[in-house]
């Protein structure tokens, strides 16, 4: 196991523009870090630089205190899990699990011990003699994780490992990955574009935007105090309402500021300061999403299913739930 440090890490692709810039991050031994952001923000590039699958343009990657910029991927003591599983189709599950260890000339008895242990942890024992094509997507993803576990690496690197699974299985596998990482205590860097996955898995998350770090923090810190309008709009579902201060005069915001209010922080209140013109209602079963306008700006509230609705609603904002951002820089100002 190992700490990982990124110092001013940057990447410019050969004939491309800058994909990653000025990334500084200290990952503690055993920590679960999630890199999260929209498609194209540089998550995979960053992960692949840690793995050694992509050359580094600027800065340094250190794993366990050792600078690995010029170290081959196979010698970095990391194991990577990909979205497409990358299993060998002609090999059985057992052979897939053992392959990397055989290549390293691990003694036979040790290979057998590690394969049996991984199979037990991931509950894939019954499939050890099947080929990958005879497995479901979730089972294949477990085998891919098993292949990482048997290596007993200093760190796991995950690149959107659950993106090919349906929503229900994604939820189950999310819990399994979290439990597995807690049990093994292996330093992990996990890439996803899914804010829910990021919130639920991370010890700390790193929000990326255009190859730059927008914010680093625990999921709750980032949710409670997003550092910018970008983070505010990306973390949390449904997304935070971001409204020019002029449309919400009660918010005590400087002219030109942007006011952020989470949909779940609004509630019906006849004396509330927010006047909403109703446009559409989406029933979610346990709650309803109520969409409308205030001061000409779109706004959404999460309300109880039994809340009485009309063409016009008055809403109150929960105590301390107003976020203020600079309209030009997008940075938090309260
Ligand atoms: N091999 C490559 N050559 C040139 N540009 C690339 C290459 N791989 C990725 N990029 C560009 O780098 C940026 C970041 O890509 P990527 O790291 O794959 O983002 P993400 O994983 O967050 O979707 C994108 O603009 C992408 O088009
Ligand atoms: Mg990617």
């Amino acid at each position: 196991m190992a700490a990982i440090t990124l110092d001013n890490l940057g990447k410019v692709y050969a004939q491309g523009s800058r994909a990653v810039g000025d990334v500084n991050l200290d990952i503690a031994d055993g920590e679960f870090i999630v890199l999260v952001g929209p498609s194209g923000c540089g998550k995979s590039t960053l992960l692949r630089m840690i793995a050694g699958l992509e050359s580094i343009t600027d800065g340094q990657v250190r794993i366990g205190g050792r600078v690995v910029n010029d170290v081959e991927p196979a010698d970095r003591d990391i194991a990577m899990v990909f979205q497409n599983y990358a299993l060998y189709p002609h090999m059985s599950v057992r052979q897939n699990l053992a392959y990397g260890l055989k290549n390293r000339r691990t003694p036979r008895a040790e290979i057998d011990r590690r394969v049996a242990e991984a199979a037990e942890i991931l509950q894939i024992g019954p499939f050890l003699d099947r080929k990958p094509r005879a497995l479901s997507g979730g089972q294949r993803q477990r085998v891919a994780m098993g292949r990482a576990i048997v290596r007993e690496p200093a760190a796991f690197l995950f690149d959107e490992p659950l993106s090919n699974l349906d929503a229900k299985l994604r939820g189950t596998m999310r819990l399994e990955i979290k439990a597995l990482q807690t049990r093994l205590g292996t330093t992990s860097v996990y890439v996803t574009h899914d804010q829910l996955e990021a919130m639920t898995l991370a010890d700390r998350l790193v929000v990326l935007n255009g190859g730059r770090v927008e914010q680093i923090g625990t999921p709750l810190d980032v949710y409670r105090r997003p550092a910018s309008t970008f983070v505010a709009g990306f973390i949390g579902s449904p997304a935070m309402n971001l409204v020019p201060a002029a449309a919400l005069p009660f918010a005590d915001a400087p002219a030109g500021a942007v006011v952020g209010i989470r949909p779940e922080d609004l509630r019906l209140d006849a004396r509330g300061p927010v006047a909403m013109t109703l446009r559409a209602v989406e029933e979610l079963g346990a709650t309803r999403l109520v969409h409308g306008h205030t001061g000409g700006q779109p706004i959404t509230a999460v309300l109880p299913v039994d809340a009485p609705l009309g063409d016009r609603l008055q809403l109150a904002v929960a105590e301390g739930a107003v976020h203020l951002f600079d309209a030009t820089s997008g940075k938090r100002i309260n």
Side-chain angles (χ1 to χ4, degrees):
M1 281 180 268
I4 300 176
T5 305
L6 312 182
D7 277 330
N8 287 310
L9 201 61
K11 173 73 181 179
V12 179
Y13 282 107
Q15 59 299 68
S17 52
R18 179 165 284 283
V20 170
D22 296 327
V23 173
N24 291 291
L25 181 63
D26 279 316
I27 303 170
D29 187 9
E31 195 173 21
F32 199 133
I33 287 282
V34 177
L35 307 178
V36 63
S39 178
C41 73
K43 305 180 295 293
S44 294
T45 301
L46 196 47
L47 197 73
R48 292 169 64 82
M49 283 194 284
I50 299 172
L53 300 172
E54 208 62 77
S55 67
I56 291 168
T57 312
D58 332 283
Q60 272 187 348
V61 174
R62 277 180 284 150
I63 301 177
R66 171 174 73 139
V67 177
V68 295
N69 285 39
D70 299 318
V71 176
E72 290 296 317
D75 299 325
R76 291 191 184 195
D77 197 18
I78 48 97
M80 193 141 167
V81 181
F82 298 94
Q83 176 177 355
N84 61 8
Y85 321 132
L87 301 177
Y88 299 108
H90 58 286
M91 291 183 192
S92 68
V93 167
R94 188 191 308 277
Q95 289 166 327
N96 265 284
L97 293 176
Y99 184 72
L101 298 178
K102 268 197 181 138
N103 270 354
R104 277 150 214 269
R105 308 193 180 284
T106 309
R108 183 62 205 243
E110 177 68 10
I111 294 180
D112 289 347
R113 182 190 70 76
R114 292 199 199 177
V115 168
E117 187 180 292
E120 195 267 321
I121 290 174
L122 292 163
Q123 297 173 326
I124 51 178
F127 321 123
L128 280 175
D129 295 312
R130 288 196 203 167
K131 297 279 170 58
R133 69 170 172 277
L135 302 177
S136 71
Q139 291 163 344
R140 284 179 209 179
Q141 193 49 268
R142 277 202 199 104
V143 177
M145 281 191 275
R147 210 173 37 180
I149 291 176
V150 295
R151 297 262 313 276
E152 299 182 355
F156 295 131
L157 306 181
F158 298 92
D159 195 346
E160 312 235 11
L162 306 184
S163 294
N164 283 350
L165 305 176
D166 64 52
K168 184 157 185 282
L169 193 53
R170 262 202 322 266
T172 312
M173 294 294 288
R174 205 168 70 210
L175 285 170
E176 287 189 14
I177 289 180
K178 186 67 181 170
L180 182 68
Q181 198 270 345
T182 306
R183 171 169 174 177
L184 300 176
T186 308
T187 311
S188 298
V189 186
Y190 186 107
V191 160
T192 181
H193 65 274
D194 181 327
Q195 63 90 26
L196 181 61
E197 236 170 82
M199 288 292 288
T200 50
L201 285 172
D203 291 327
R204 282 188 303 156
L205 42 89
V206 178
V207 185
L208 292 169
N209 177 21
R212 310 267 163 178
V213 173
E214 285 272 335
Q215 188 168 6
I216 300 174
T218 67
L220 280 182
D221 284 348
V222 172
Y223 173 84
R224 289 182 181 144
R225 283 187 63 80
S228 64
T229 49
F230 178 86
V231 177
F234 194 78
I235 298 294
S237 177
M240 186 187 283
N241 297 295
L242 293 168
V243 180
L248 292 175
F250 71 92
D252 198 19
V258 171
V259 177
I261 300 172
R262 295 207 179 272
E264 54 272 34
D265 287 332
L266 288 165
R267 65 173 192 278
L268 278 183
D269 181 340
R271 281 164 304 175
V274 183
M276 181 202 252
T277 309
L278 191 69
R279 188 170 53 83
V281 178
E282 290 179 293
E283 297 290 355
L284 300 185
T287 57
R288 49 169 54 143
L289 288 188
V290 178
H291 306 282
H293 289 92
T294 189
Q297 299 293 321
I299 190 164
T300 295
V302 177
L303 298 180
V305 285
D306 56 0
L309 299 180
D311 293 346
R312 293 180 147 273
L313 309 173
Q314 287 302 129
L315 301 168
V317 184
E319 185 68 28
V322 170
H323 306 256
L324 298 179
F325 303 95
D326 182 84
T328 312
S329 68
K331 299 293 177 215
R332 184 180 194 94
I333 52 178
N334 74 333

